[in-house]
Amino acid sequence: QVQLVESGGGLVQAGDSLTLSCAASGRTFSRLTLAWFRQAPGKEREFVATIRWSGGIVDYGDSVKGRFTISRDDAKDTVYLQMNSLKPEDTAVYYCAAHYSTHTTRVATWYDYWGQGTQVTVSS
């Protein structure tokens, strides 16, 4: 029912900034709790950030705290991930995810809807 499409990935150098976008379908975007996860080749999916449907509560994975910012624009049905001070270890496919809930969570299994991912590559 909910479709998510990521965009904005690319190849950057260490220390650069990049902003990812995720566009959602339907008119129920404002009721979704949204999140970003990432996965490097051969690795497990890792929690990055989440934002509550109200937009007032956010949470970040330890590896990105202080560098990444999640935000949402309900008028555009879009969630963003602003990434600063990028490191080579940030290289991964980044996925957006969503679920209908009033609570944020770092657990991937709580999310019902997933995008197909966008590649971010950070060179040293």
Side-chain angles (χ1 to χ4, degrees), residues 15-116:
D16 285 354
S17 297
L18 195 65
T19 299
L20 306 181
S21 300
C22 176
S25 65
R27 298 181 62 188
T28 59
F29 182 86
S30 63
R31 293 147 62 182
L32 291 169
T33 290
L34 299 153
W36 289 94
F37 290 78
R38 66 187 184 185
Q39 187 170 23
K43 304 295 183 181
E44 294 294 318
R45 192 160 296 187
E46 176 189 14
F47 169 76
V48 176
T50 185
I51 184 167
R52 191 183 177 207
W53 65 268
S54 68
I57 299 176
V58 298
D59 189 29
Y60 296 95
D62 291 341
S63 63
V64 305
K65 287 181 179 178
R67 299 189 297 120
F68 291 10
T69 302
I70 187 171
S71 63
R72 63 192 295 164
D73 186 342
D74 290 348
K76 297 182 181 296
D77 287 354
T78 302
V79 61
Y80 304 94
L81 184 68
Q82 183 179 12
M83 304 181 293
N84 299 324
S85 301
L86 283 163
K87 306 173 182 179
E89 51 263 44
D90 295 319
T91 296
V93 176
Y94 283 71
Y95 299 89
C96 59
H99 71 116
Y100 289 105
S101 175
T102 58
H103 294 86
T104 57
T105 179
R106 298 182 176 189
V107 181
T109 54
W110 280 71
Y111 292 88
D112 300 311
Y113 310 102
W114 293 83
Q116 294 184 332

